[in-house]
């Protein structure tokens, strides 16, 4: 029998100060190269302005990042959305292969903290009070930090009640 629950959750990552700084720095350099390139003696600066303009665009795409979690048919699908326009599929994770799903500071994760696993953060990357981020250990190889909604937590808990903790 299939679980026909469908839950969607969208989380916006807080923009990094370094990425914002890099974007504005590249924007200023692009404007500088363009202004110098306008004179006939420095046409090479127009090419430099185009190059830094492309870098500026790519940096801007990486400053606004959102993660979308979709739960459907005992699977969690995670997508990364760049600048609200470009979508990248991160992966599809089966609930059956999930080991534990608990708040990041939960005592239930004490035995798992000693493991050396690949850690991926797909949350806002900001610790808040009360803590809303959850850790999901998956397949013995990965740890994912997520910031699910209450509805998503409830849907996962309905399928795997012994693996999900809400403390």
């Amino acid at each position: 029998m299939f679980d026909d629950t469908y839950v969607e959750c969208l989380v916006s990552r807080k923009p990094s100060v370094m990425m914002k700084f890099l974007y504005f720095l590249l924007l200023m350099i692009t404007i500088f190269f363009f202004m110098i390139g306008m004179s006939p003696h420095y046409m090479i600066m127009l090419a430099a302005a185009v190059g830094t303009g492309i870098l500026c665009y790519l940096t801007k795409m990486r400053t606004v990042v959102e993660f979308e979690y979709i739960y459907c048919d005992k699977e969690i699908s995670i997508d990364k959305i760049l600048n609200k326009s470009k979508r990248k599929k991160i992966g599809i994770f089966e609930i059956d292969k999930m080991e534990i799903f608990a708040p990041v500071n939960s005592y239930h994760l004490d035995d798992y903290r000693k493991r050396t696993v690949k850690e991926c953060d797909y949350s806002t990357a900001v610790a808040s009070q009360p803590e809303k981020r959850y850790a999901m250990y998956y397949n013995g190889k990965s740890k994912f930090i997520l910031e699910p909604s209450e509805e998503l937590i409830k849907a996962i808990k309905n399928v795997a009640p012994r693996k999900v903790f809400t403390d």
Side-chain angles (χ1 to χ4, degrees):
M1 183 170 179
F2 286 104
D3 179 31
D4 57 354
T5 306
Y6 179 84
V7 179
E8 234 178 272
C9 180
L10 189 66
V11 175
S12 296
R13 175 165 277 185
K14 184 179 179 216
S16 162
V17 175
M18 188 64 180
M19 288 300 281
K20 284 183 177 179
F21 174 75
L22 182 60
Y23 169 71
F24 286 114
L25 179 67
L26 286 170
L27 184 62
M28 293 300 144
I29 291 171
T30 302
I31 293 169
F32 175 74
F33 283 156
F34 181 75
M35 297 299 270
I36 292 175
M38 293 307 288
S39 77
H41 300 294
Y42 298 105
M43 294 299 279
I44 192 78
M45 290 297 186
L46 282 178
V50 169
T52 55
I54 291 170
L55 288 175
C56 186
Y57 171 76
L58 293 174
T59 304
K60 179 66 175 171
M61 288 288 290
R62 305 258 185 283
T63 56
V64 179
V65 177
E66 296 175 324
F67 295 103
E68 182 180 52
Y69 317 133
I70 298 173
Y71 171 79
C72 185
D73 294 334
K74 296 183 181 180
E75 293 179 338
I76 300 173
S77 173
I78 302 175
D79 292 348
K80 184 178 188 179
I81 304 169
L82 300 173
N83 204 25
K84 297 185 180 188
S85 61
K86 186 176 180 182
R87 179 181 294 267
K88 180 181 177 189
K89 172 78 68 189
I90 291 175
I92 297 174
F93 307 100
E94 298 174 20
I95 298 297
D96 297 336
K97 294 181 181 178
M98 178 181 74
E99 295 177 49
I100 189 169
F101 188 73
V104 185
N105 53 7
S106 173
Y107 69 92
H108 294 287
L109 297 173
D110 289 345
D111 293 337
Y112 295 89
R113 294 188 210 285
K114 299 171 188 155
R115 292 184 182 180
T116 52
V117 294
K118 180 182 173 187
E119 184 174 326
C120 300
D121 191 352
Y122 303 127
S123 69
T124 58
V126 176
S128 60
Q129 291 298 340
E131 184 66 73
K132 297 178 182 176
R133 297 179 302 156
Y134 274 66
M136 178 175 80
Y137 282 85
Y138 186 78
N139 210 17
K141 300 174 186 170
S142 303
K143 174 185 175 185
F144 302 110
I145 306 295
L146 307 173
E147 198 161 327
S149 64
E150 292 295 325
E151 189 179 1
L152 182 63
I153 296 167
K154 184 179 174 186
I156 297 170
K157 190 168 186 155
N158 284 340
V159 174
R162 292 184 180 166
K163 296 180 181 180
V164 178
F165 300 95
T166 56
D167 290 352

